[in-house]
């Protein structure tokens, strides 16, 4: 159980990650900030709990993390920099012509990124293949893939879930970032029931609570597990929360940046 | 040809424990021998072509050699983006093997036809495109390419030709060089009809089993002739056209219409003028024009 002090300290960590995301987005003029803000704790939680080694990204015993909702790449870059994969200053080139750090990550350019994603509904199928390969090798390595609720409009997501359940891939954790993006278009009500009806084990957590996310990772089951991570797009900044359409893909100018920073500082995260 | 595919895979598996079969509910009985011997590496994953490719890429990322196999239009046209991104862009190589193209399932109609697979796949980086016309071509080219880390596409046919020739990846085969003014270039099983149609005519004949990379050297050799591509698919003509300054034409698929008939492969070939008689008649006319 985490103490109040620990929890508070961790919250500061997440505020700082969000500040880095804002800063880099302002510098670069790129980024999907609200969706980055919804998955900060999720990405951080799994980098904390999974087996991996930033000094040796191709360590043969590592677990695999795949961000299928690739437009949250900036959140992944900032979190990975905290875990020592690269210097955060390098990420400041985000989205520029020669940058290694694209608005959607390229695994061949970014140290430690396992899959190049961007087009929605791809990373999850790839994750199924990785999880299957660990089963064939009789390895206890695990795979975490983060998908979006909007992304789950794609039929390929559900294909992949069916295949994963059919193969009983209990080394695969699908994190469903339920940040309500789906409300804009094709709505997915009761996602947990849907995944359950596909045969997956489903757990529902507060996606901004690292402890809950980590606990669900630790609990083992005999088939695929889907963690419905209930999150808020733009979490920590009320301007983005109340104007999600406007901020979906938008970088702040200097003035807006100041306002968003203030909101973050004041937020009861 | 699918039996040859199975036989070659069985043989390769005796010395390589990294081959994984991923079937889209096709050729399942045929691969029972593989399934019985290597149950951990055999998956009839179901009718979900997008996922077959993505899973293949995932397996490749961990050192396996996936063999993804199902019916051509569904695996190539439906899953083009998975091939493009999960395999090619991620540089996760694998073997994609299809059946049914172009008109092998003639009786099933236009939904099961596939004549653009070669053309669209050859546009992708990190890809090899092979249309084996005979069992030998499939056997030789599978052995030479399956584990090279690239994405290799093999379009299998249930109606292979039996014309024997030396087979080497990326090398076209000059079947006839009689100094003719006209050179026919063709690929795959349609060779049967093309070979028969031009056997008594003073026409050069060049055969391709590899569409990407295309053998530019052999094409160059016939630069000073009128090149005519006879093919029951798109892709070969476009690949040959990339050599600048050729006089090259295409004879094969009709433009701007589906072949919305049923029946047999032979009937479709007759309908679109790819039977022996029609090809020969067309060639005789062309020879007259070239006089």
């Amino acid at each position: 159980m985490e103490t109040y002090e620990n929890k508070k300290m961790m919250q500061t960590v997440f505020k700082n990650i969000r500040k880095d995301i804002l800063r880099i987005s302002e510098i670069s003029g790129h980024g999907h900030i609200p969706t980055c803000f919804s998955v900060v704790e999720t990405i951080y939680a799994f980098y904390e709990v999974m087996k991996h080694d930033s000094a040796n990204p191709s360590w043969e015993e590592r677990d695999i993390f795949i961000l299928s909702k690739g437009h949250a790449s900036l959140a992944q870059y900032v979190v990975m920099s905290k875990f020592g994969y690269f210097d955060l200053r390098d990420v400041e080139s985000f989205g520029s012509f020669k940058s290694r750090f694209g608005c959607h990550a390229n695994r061949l350019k970014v140290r430690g990124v396992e899959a190049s994603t961007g087009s929605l509904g791809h990373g999850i199928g790839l994750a199924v293949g990785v999880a299957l390969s660990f089963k064939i090798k009789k390895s206890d390595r695990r795979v975490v893939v983060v998908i979006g609720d909007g992304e789950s409009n794609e039929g390929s997501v559900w294909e992949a879930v069916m295949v994963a359940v059919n193969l009983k891939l209990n080394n695969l954790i699908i994190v469903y970032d339920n940040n309500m993006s789906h409300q804009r278009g094709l709505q997915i009500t009761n996602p947990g029931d849907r995944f359950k009806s596909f045969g997956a084990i489903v757990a529902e957590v507060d996606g901004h609570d690292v402890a809950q996310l980590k606990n669900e990772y630790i609990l083992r089951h005999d088939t695929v597990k889907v963690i419905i991570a209930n999150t808020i797009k733009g979490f920590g900044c009320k301007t983005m929360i109340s104007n999600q359409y406007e901020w979906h893909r938008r970088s702040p100018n200097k003035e807006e940046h100041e306002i968003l920073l203030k909101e973050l500082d004041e937020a009861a995260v | 040809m699918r039996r040859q595919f199975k036989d070659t895979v069985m043989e390769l598996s005796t010395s390589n424990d990294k081959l994984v079969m991923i079937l889209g509910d096709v050729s399942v009985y045929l691969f029972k021998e593989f399934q019985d011997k290597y149950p951990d590496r055999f998956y009839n994953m179901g009718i979900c072509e997008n996922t077959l490719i993505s899973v293949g890429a995932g397996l490749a990322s961990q050192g396996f050699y996936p063999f993804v196999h199902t019916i051509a239009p569904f695996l190539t046209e439906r899953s083009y983006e998975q091939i493009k991104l999960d395999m090619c862009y991620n540089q996760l190589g694998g073997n994609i093997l299809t059946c049914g193209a172009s008109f092998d399932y003639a009786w099933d109609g236009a939904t099961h036809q596939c004549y653009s697979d070669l053309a669209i796949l050859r546009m992708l980086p990190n890809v090899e495109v092979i249309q084996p016309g005979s069992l030998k071509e499939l056997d030789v080219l599978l052995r030479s390419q399956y584990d090279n880390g690239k994405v290799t596409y093999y379009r299998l046919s249930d109606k292979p030709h039996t014309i024997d020739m030396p087979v080497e990846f990326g090398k076209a085969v000059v079947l006839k060089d009689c100094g003719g003014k006209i050179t026919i270039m063709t690929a795959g099983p349609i060779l049967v009809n093309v070979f028969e149609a031009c056997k008594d005519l003073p026409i050069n004949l060049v055969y391709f089993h590899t569409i990407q990379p295309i053998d530019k050297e052999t094409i160059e050799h016939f630069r000073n002739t009128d090149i005519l591509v006879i093919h029951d698919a798109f892709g070969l003509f476009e690949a040959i056209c990339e050599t600048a300054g050729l006089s090259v034409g295409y004879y094969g698929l009709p433009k701007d219409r589906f072949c919305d008939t049923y029946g047999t492969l032979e009937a479709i070939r007759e309908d679109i003028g790819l039977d022996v008689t029609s090809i020969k008649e067309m060639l005789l006319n062309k020879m007259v024009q070239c006089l």
Side-chain angles (χ1 to χ4, degrees), chain B residues 118-151:
Chain B
L118 308 167
I120 59 175
L121 291 174
R122 65 174 281 276
M123 313 282 287
L124 297 173
N126 305 317
V127 87
E128 297 169 339
V129 177
I130 297 172
Q131 185 188 12
S134 70
L135 305 186
K136 177 180 171 183
E137 290 164 34
L138 174 63
D139 182 51
V140 170
L141 297 171
L142 252 186
R143 287 170 196 275
S144 71
Q145 306 307 116
Y146 84 96
D147 61 349
N148 65 3
K150 296 218 170 190
V151 180

Short mmCIF file of all heavy atoms in Angstrom, two decimals, chain B residues 118-151:
data_model
loop_
_atom_site.label_atom_id
_atom_site.label_comp_id
_atom_site.label_asym_id
_atom_site.label_seq_id
_atom_site.Cartn_x
_atom_site.Cartn_y
_atom_site.Cartn_z
N LEU B 118 0.16 -8.46 -57.40
CA LEU B 118 1.57 -8.27 -57.77
C LEU B 118 1.87 -6.78 -57.94
O LEU B 118 2.92 -6.29 -57.53
CB LEU B 118 1.87 -9.02 -59.07
CG LEU B 118 1.48 -10.51 -59.10
CD1 LEU B 118 1.54 -11.06 -60.52
CD2 LEU B 118 2.40 -11.31 -58.18
N ALA B 119 0.91 -6.08 -58.56
CA ALA B 119 1.12 -4.66 -58.87
C ALA B 119 1.19 -3.81 -57.61
O ALA B 119 2.02 -2.91 -57.50
CB ALA B 119 -0.01 -4.17 -59.78
N ILE B 120 0.32 -4.09 -56.65
CA ILE B 120 0.30 -3.22 -55.47
C ILE B 120 1.43 -3.58 -54.50
O ILE B 120 2.01 -2.70 -53.86
CB ILE B 120 -1.06 -3.22 -54.74
CG1 ILE B 120 -1.48 -4.62 -54.29
CG2 ILE B 120 -2.13 -2.61 -55.63
CD1 ILE B 120 -2.77 -4.66 -53.47
N LEU B 121 1.77 -4.85 -54.43
CA LEU B 121 2.81 -5.23 -53.47
C LEU B 121 4.19 -4.79 -53.94
O LEU B 121 5.06 -4.47 -53.13
CB LEU B 121 2.78 -6.74 -53.21
CG LEU B 121 1.54 -7.22 -52.43
CD1 LEU B 121 1.51 -8.73 -52.34
CD2 LEU B 121 1.51 -6.62 -51.03
N ARG B 122 4.41 -4.78 -55.25
CA ARG B 122 5.74 -4.40 -55.73
C ARG B 122 6.05 -2.93 -55.46
O ARG B 122 7.20 -2.51 -55.56
CB ARG B 122 5.90 -4.72 -57.23
CG ARG B 122 5.01 -3.93 -58.14
CD ARG B 122 5.32 -4.17 -59.60
NE ARG B 122 6.48 -3.42 -60.04
CZ ARG B 122 6.45 -2.14 -60.43
NH1 ARG B 122 5.32 -1.46 -60.45
NH2 ARG B 122 7.55 -1.54 -60.81
N MET B 123 5.02 -2.16 -55.11
CA MET B 123 5.24 -0.73 -54.82
C MET B 123 5.84 -0.51 -53.42
O MET B 123 6.27 0.58 -53.11
CB MET B 123 3.91 0.03 -54.86
CG MET B 123 3.04 -0.26 -56.05
SD MET B 123 3.58 0.58 -57.51
CE MET B 123 3.11 2.24 -57.12
N LEU B 124 5.79 -1.54 -52.59
CA LEU B 124 6.20 -1.35 -51.19
C LEU B 124 7.71 -1.55 -51.02
O LEU B 124 8.29 -2.43 -51.66
CB LEU B 124 5.46 -2.35 -50.30
CG LEU B 124 3.93 -2.20 -50.26
CD1 LEU B 124 3.30 -3.34 -49.48
CD2 LEU B 124 3.54 -0.86 -49.67
N PRO B 125 8.33 -0.78 -50.11
CA PRO B 125 9.74 -1.02 -49.80
C PRO B 125 9.91 -2.33 -49.02
O PRO B 125 8.98 -2.78 -48.34
CB PRO B 125 10.11 0.17 -48.91
CG PRO B 125 9.01 1.15 -49.06
CD PRO B 125 7.78 0.38 -49.42
N ASN B 126 11.08 -2.91 -49.11
CA ASN B 126 11.44 -4.14 -48.37
C ASN B 126 10.62 -5.35 -48.77
O ASN B 126 10.39 -6.26 -47.98
CB ASN B 126 11.29 -3.95 -46.84
CG ASN B 126 12.05 -2.77 -46.34
OD1 ASN B 126 13.18 -2.55 -46.74
ND2 ASN B 126 11.44 -1.98 -45.48
N VAL B 127 10.15 -5.37 -50.00
CA VAL B 127 9.30 -6.48 -50.41
C VAL B 127 9.87 -7.18 -51.64
O VAL B 127 10.49 -6.55 -52.50
CB VAL B 127 7.85 -5.97 -50.65
CG1 VAL B 127 7.64 -5.47 -52.04
CG2 VAL B 127 6.82 -7.02 -50.32
N GLU B 128 9.68 -8.49 -51.69
CA GLU B 128 10.00 -9.28 -52.88
C GLU B 128 8.70 -9.88 -53.39
O GLU B 128 7.90 -10.36 -52.59
CB GLU B 128 10.97 -10.41 -52.53
CG GLU B 128 12.32 -9.93 -52.03
CD GLU B 128 13.18 -11.04 -51.45
OE1 GLU B 128 12.65 -12.10 -51.08
OE2 GLU B 128 14.40 -10.83 -51.38
N VAL B 129 8.48 -9.82 -54.69
CA VAL B 129 7.23 -10.33 -55.26
C VAL B 129 7.53 -11.44 -56.26
O VAL B 129 8.24 -11.22 -57.24
CB VAL B 129 6.43 -9.19 -55.94
CG1 VAL B 129 5.17 -9.74 -56.58
CG2 VAL B 129 6.08 -8.12 -54.91
N ILE B 130 6.99 -12.60 -55.97
CA ILE B 130 7.29 -13.78 -56.79
C ILE B 130 5.99 -14.41 -57.27
O ILE B 130 5.05 -14.61 -56.48
CB ILE B 130 8.10 -14.82 -55.96
CG1 ILE B 130 9.45 -14.22 -55.55
CG2 ILE B 130 8.30 -16.10 -56.75
CD1 ILE B 130 10.22 -15.08 -54.57
N GLN B 131 5.95 -14.71 -58.55
CA GLN B 131 4.82 -15.46 -59.08
C GLN B 131 5.37 -16.77 -59.66
O GLN B 131 5.65 -16.88 -60.85
CB GLN B 131 4.09 -14.67 -60.18
CG GLN B 131 2.84 -15.41 -60.66
CD GLN B 131 2.17 -14.78 -61.87
OE1 GLN B 131 2.75 -13.90 -62.52
NE2 GLN B 131 0.98 -15.24 -62.17
N PRO B 132 5.51 -17.78 -58.82
CA PRO B 132 6.02 -19.04 -59.34
C PRO B 132 5.02 -19.66 -60.30
O PRO B 132 3.83 -19.75 -59.99
CB PRO B 132 6.20 -19.92 -58.10
CG PRO B 132 5.51 -19.24 -56.99
CD PRO B 132 5.12 -17.87 -57.41
N GLY B 133 5.50 -20.08 -61.44
CA GLY B 133 4.59 -20.67 -62.42
C GLY B 133 4.58 -22.18 -62.36
O GLY B 133 3.63 -22.82 -62.81
N SER B 134 5.64 -22.76 -61.80
CA SER B 134 5.74 -24.21 -61.75
C SER B 134 6.10 -24.64 -60.33
O SER B 134 6.51 -23.82 -59.50
CB SER B 134 6.83 -24.70 -62.71
OG SER B 134 8.10 -24.32 -62.22
N LEU B 135 5.98 -25.94 -60.08
CA LEU B 135 6.31 -26.46 -58.76
C LEU B 135 7.79 -26.24 -58.45
O LEU B 135 8.17 -25.88 -57.33
CB LEU B 135 5.99 -27.96 -58.70
CG LEU B 135 4.55 -28.36 -59.06
CD1 LEU B 135 4.33 -29.85 -58.83
CD2 LEU B 135 3.54 -27.55 -58.27
N LYS B 136 8.62 -26.43 -59.47
CA LYS B 136 10.06 -26.24 -59.29
C LYS B 136 10.37 -24.79 -58.90
O LYS B 136 11.19 -24.54 -58.00
CB LYS B 136 10.79 -26.61 -60.58
CG LYS B 136 12.29 -26.39 -60.53
CD LYS B 136 12.95 -26.76 -61.84
CE LYS B 136 14.41 -26.35 -61.90
NZ LYS B 136 15.01 -26.67 -63.20
N GLU B 137 9.71 -23.86 -59.58
CA GLU B 137 9.97 -22.44 -59.26
C GLU B 137 9.62 -22.15 -57.80
O GLU B 137 10.38 -21.48 -57.09
CB GLU B 137 9.16 -21.53 -60.19
CG GLU B 137 9.65 -21.54 -61.63
CD GLU B 137 8.63 -20.96 -62.61
OE1 GLU B 137 7.91 -20.03 -62.25
OE2 GLU B 137 8.56 -21.46 -63.75
N LEU B 138 8.48 -22.66 -57.37
CA LEU B 138 8.09 -22.43 -55.98
C LEU B 138 9.12 -23.04 -55.02
O LEU B 138 9.57 -22.38 -54.08
CB LEU B 138 6.70 -23.02 -55.70
CG LEU B 138 6.28 -22.95 -54.22
CD1 LEU B 138 6.16 -21.50 -53.76
CD2 LEU B 138 4.97 -23.68 -53.98
N ASP B 139 9.49 -24.27 -55.29
CA ASP B 139 10.41 -24.98 -54.41
C ASP B 139 11.74 -24.23 -54.30
O ASP B 139 12.22 -23.93 -53.20
CB ASP B 139 10.63 -26.40 -54.94
CG ASP B 139 11.55 -27.20 -54.04
OD1 ASP B 139 11.29 -27.24 -52.81
OD2 ASP B 139 12.53 -27.77 -54.53
N VAL B 140 12.31 -23.89 -55.45
CA VAL B 140 13.63 -23.23 -55.46
C VAL B 140 13.55 -21.86 -54.79
O VAL B 140 14.39 -21.50 -53.96
CB VAL B 140 14.14 -23.08 -56.92
CG1 VAL B 140 15.37 -22.19 -56.97
CG2 VAL B 140 14.41 -24.45 -57.53
N LEU B 141 12.50 -21.10 -55.10
CA LEU B 141 12.43 -19.72 -54.61
C LEU B 141 12.02 -19.65 -53.15
O LEU B 141 12.43 -18.73 -52.43
CB LEU B 141 11.49 -18.90 -55.50
CG LEU B 141 11.99 -18.80 -56.96
CD1 LEU B 141 10.94 -18.17 -57.86
CD2 LEU B 141 13.29 -18.00 -57.05
N LEU B 142 11.25 -20.61 -52.69
CA LEU B 142 10.95 -20.66 -51.25
C LEU B 142 12.23 -20.91 -50.46
O LEU B 142 12.52 -20.24 -49.48
CB LEU B 142 9.97 -21.79 -50.97
CG LEU B 142 8.53 -21.46 -50.59
CD1 LEU B 142 7.78 -22.73 -50.21
CD2 LEU B 142 8.44 -20.44 -49.49
N ARG B 143 12.97 -21.90 -50.92
CA ARG B 143 14.22 -22.25 -50.22
C ARG B 143 15.20 -21.08 -50.19
O ARG B 143 15.86 -20.84 -49.19
CB ARG B 143 14.90 -23.44 -50.89
CG ARG B 143 14.21 -24.76 -50.65
CD ARG B 143 14.81 -25.84 -51.54
NE ARG B 143 13.95 -27.00 -51.62
CZ ARG B 143 13.94 -27.98 -50.73
NH1 ARG B 143 14.78 -27.96 -49.73
NH2 ARG B 143 13.11 -28.98 -50.86
N SER B 144 15.25 -20.35 -51.30
CA SER B 144 16.30 -19.32 -51.37
C SER B 144 15.89 -18.02 -50.66
O SER B 144 16.75 -17.24 -50.29
CB SER B 144 16.67 -19.03 -52.83
OG SER B 144 15.63 -18.35 -53.49
N GLN B 145 14.60 -17.79 -50.43
CA GLN B 145 14.20 -16.47 -49.93
C GLN B 145 13.53 -16.45 -48.56
O GLN B 145 13.39 -15.38 -47.96
CB GLN B 145 13.21 -15.82 -50.93
CG GLN B 145 13.68 -15.72 -52.35
CD GLN B 145 15.02 -15.04 -52.50
OE1 GLN B 145 15.98 -15.66 -52.94
NE2 GLN B 145 15.10 -13.79 -52.10
N TYR B 146 13.08 -17.58 -48.05
CA TYR B 146 12.14 -17.54 -46.92
C TYR B 146 12.72 -16.95 -45.65
O TYR B 146 12.00 -16.43 -44.81
CB TYR B 146 11.58 -18.95 -46.63
CG TYR B 146 12.46 -19.80 -45.76
CD1 TYR B 146 12.24 -19.88 -44.38
CD2 TYR B 146 13.53 -20.52 -46.28
CE1 TYR B 146 13.06 -20.65 -43.56
CE2 TYR B 146 14.35 -21.29 -45.48
CZ TYR B 146 14.11 -21.35 -44.12
OH TYR B 146 14.92 -22.11 -43.31
N ASP B 147 14.04 -17.00 -45.52
CA ASP B 147 14.64 -16.59 -44.24
C ASP B 147 15.57 -15.40 -44.39
O ASP B 147 16.49 -15.22 -43.60
CB ASP B 147 15.40 -17.77 -43.62
CG ASP B 147 16.54 -18.26 -44.52
OD1 ASP B 147 16.59 -17.83 -45.68
OD2 ASP B 147 17.36 -19.07 -44.05
N ASN B 148 15.31 -14.57 -45.41
CA ASN B 148 16.25 -13.47 -45.66
C ASN B 148 15.84 -12.16 -44.98
O ASN B 148 16.44 -11.11 -45.22
CB ASN B 148 16.44 -13.25 -47.17
CG ASN B 148 15.17 -12.78 -47.86
OD1 ASN B 148 14.15 -12.57 -47.20
ND2 ASN B 148 15.22 -12.61 -49.17
N GLY B 149 14.81 -12.20 -44.14
CA GLY B 149 14.43 -11.00 -43.39
C GLY B 149 13.55 -10.04 -44.16
O GLY B 149 13.08 -9.04 -43.62
N LYS B 150 13.30 -10.34 -45.42
CA LYS B 150 12.44 -9.45 -46.22
C LYS B 150 11.00 -9.94 -46.17
O LYS B 150 10.72 -11.05 -45.73
CB LYS B 150 12.92 -9.44 -47.66
CG LYS B 150 14.31 -8.87 -47.81
CD LYS B 150 14.39 -8.05 -49.06
CE LYS B 150 15.69 -7.28 -49.07
NZ LYS B 150 15.72 -6.30 -50.13
N VAL B 151 10.11 -9.11 -46.67
CA VAL B 151 8.74 -9.55 -46.86
C VAL B 151 8.68 -10.17 -48.25
O VAL B 151 8.95 -9.48 -49.25
CB VAL B 151 7.77 -8.35 -46.78
CG1 VAL B 151 6.33 -8.82 -46.99
CG2 VAL B 151 7.92 -7.64 -45.44
#
